[in-house]
Amino acid sequence: MSEKKLFLYDVSIFRKKLLTRTWSVILLFILFVIYNSLQIPKEARGQFFIIFVPLLAFFFWFLRRNYLKQIEILSSGKIELEGGMLKQFDSSGNCATIRVKDLEKITLDKFRGYDRIVLETKEKIHPIVNLKNQDELRLVLEKITGIKSVYDLTDDRLWNLKTPIYFIPSIIILIFLYIPILREKVPFISSEFLGLFFNVNIIIYLLYSPEKENHIDNRYSLKRRLIFISLIVFFFQVYTQLDKVGWFKN
């Protein structure tokens, strides 16, 4: 195959989804901080905000930086197919080359809401996300290799219709808290206990919720960032409760 084919990324869809996701994460974090601030004593709220307002500012800066960087990377990137070689260029001009005949598997799936084609060789897995004309690339690769694409229909969304099921324990605690008859039977339940329990519920859910591998770098996944934030809030909740009962007093 000598004719060069060029495949570009769908920047407009990426920008729209990334912007929506970024603001959603910021809003959730703000609501999360506000909610947890109401679960601690008034005298400790100043210390709480001293910790979390700078964290929010850093989080906002990080997300903005990440947003601009990803837009730049996607706008400058491209895929070239020529002479049986697939070349993936990044924003720095670096090129990852795959010999099409070395492909052993072609998988089509969804990754964080974007169409993705995953190319596997013996040595490495090459994910390509959000191409404008992914179907054209798939057809060309299938024709050259004789490999039929496999469709992975696994839902990779972190939050879905089944999510509330995992928070039934927190919902039960909430019911006990706001129904006086039930609350009298379990006197240790309080708003502080609900906040702590709900946070633990979130951490457990995030730890065991599935997340598709991106095949590049999993260190900065959304799931890990949310777990990190939840753990910070959890340790602060524990600290304030221990301080409230005089644990740290001489």
Side-chain angles (χ1 to χ4, degrees):
M1 180 180 177
S2 58
E3 180 186 356
K4 179 189 289 188
K5 288 186 175 292
L6 181 65
F7 302 89
L8 300 176
Y9 296 100
D10 197 332
V11 180
S12 59
I13 290 180
F14 181 77
R15 181 185 289 110
K16 181 179 179 180
K17 288 190 175 184
L18 184 60
L19 190 61
T20 301
R21 183 178 288 114
T22 299
W23 280 110
S24 297
V25 171
I26 292 173
L27 179 60
L28 284 173
F29 182 73
I30 292 174
L31 293 175
F32 191 67
V33 170
I34 292 174
Y35 172 79
N36 280 279
S37 69
L38 297 176
Q39 309 307 313
I40 60 177
K42 289 184 179 180
E43 58 271 16
R45 287 178 188 171
Q47 186 178 2
F48 179 86
F49 285 115
I50 287 175
I51 294 175
F52 280 95
V53 169
L55 182 61
L56 175 61
F58 172 77
F59 192 54
F60 180 82
W61 171 83
F62 175 80
L63 288 176
R64 181 179 180 276
R65 178 175 175 270
N66 186 60
Y67 169 80
L68 295 175
K69 184 177 181 180
Q70 290 192 59
I71 292 295
E72 179 186 356
I73 291 173
L74 203 69
S75 300
S76 306
K78 61 181 179 179
I79 304 291
E80 287 185 1
L81 182 60
E82 183 181 18
M85 302 296 290
L86 184 71
K87 299 178 181 179
Q88 185 175 12
F89 294 90
D90 62 19
S91 59
S92 302
N94 298 319
C95 175
T97 303
I98 309 170
R99 193 167 70 172
V100 177
K101 290 186 177 181
D102 289 340
L103 291 178
E104 296 186 340
K105 187 177 181 181
I106 302 172
T107 304
L108 301 175
D109 68 355
K110 288 277 188 180
F111 181 72
R112 297 180 183 175
Y114 301 100
D115 291 328
R116 180 174 71 168
I117 180 169
V118 182
L119 308 177
E120 297 185 35
T121 65
K122 285 184 178 180
E123 294 79 18
K124 195 174 180 181
I125 298 177
H126 303 267
I128 302 175
V129 183
N130 194 35
L131 280 181
K132 274 186 179 179
N133 40 4
Q134 178 177 289
D135 284 339
E136 182 183 352
L137 176 61
R138 174 184 62 82
L139 291 172
V140 173
L141 293 178
E142 287 182 347
K143 183 178 180 180
I144 297 174
T145 62
I147 299 173
K148 193 68 176 176
S149 299
V150 176
Y151 290 85
D152 180 2
L153 303 178
T154 305
D155 188 357
D156 71 322
R157 291 177 297 175
L158 188 59
W159 314 106
N160 51 56
L161 295 176
K162 294 182 180 180
T163 299
I165 297 175
Y166 297 94
F167 289 90
I168 289 177
S170 293
I171 295 173
I172 293 174
I173 297 296
L174 181 65
I175 292 172
F176 269 79
L177 179 62
Y178 287 100
I179 297 180
I181 297 177
L182 297 177
R183 186 173 181 177
E184 290 176 1
K185 295 181 179 180
V186 191
F188 65 84
I189 291 182
S190 62
S191 57
E192 291 84 2
F193 178 82
L194 173 62
L196 185 63
F197 191 90
F198 180 69
N199 201 14
V200 172
N201 203 160
I202 290 177
I203 294 171
I204 293 174
Y205 171 73
L206 291 172
L207 285 173
Y208 290 96
S209 61
E211 184 179 35
K212 277 190 177 179
E213 189 176 353
N214 61 23
H215 302 297
I216 299 175
D217 190 348
N218 288 320
R219 290 178 298 172
Y220 305 110
S221 69
L222 173 62
K223 179 178 172 180
R224 291 193 177 192
R225 291 198 296 266
L226 291 175
I227 291 175
F228 173 73
I229 293 170
S230 298
L231 284 173
I232 291 177
V233 174
F234 171 75
F235 287 124
F236 187 84
Q237 287 174 319
V238 172
Y239 170 81
T240 53
Q241 291 303 310
L242 292 176
D243 185 58
K244 187 177 179 180
V245 299
W247 182 274
F248 300 106
K249 294 180 181 179
N250 294 327

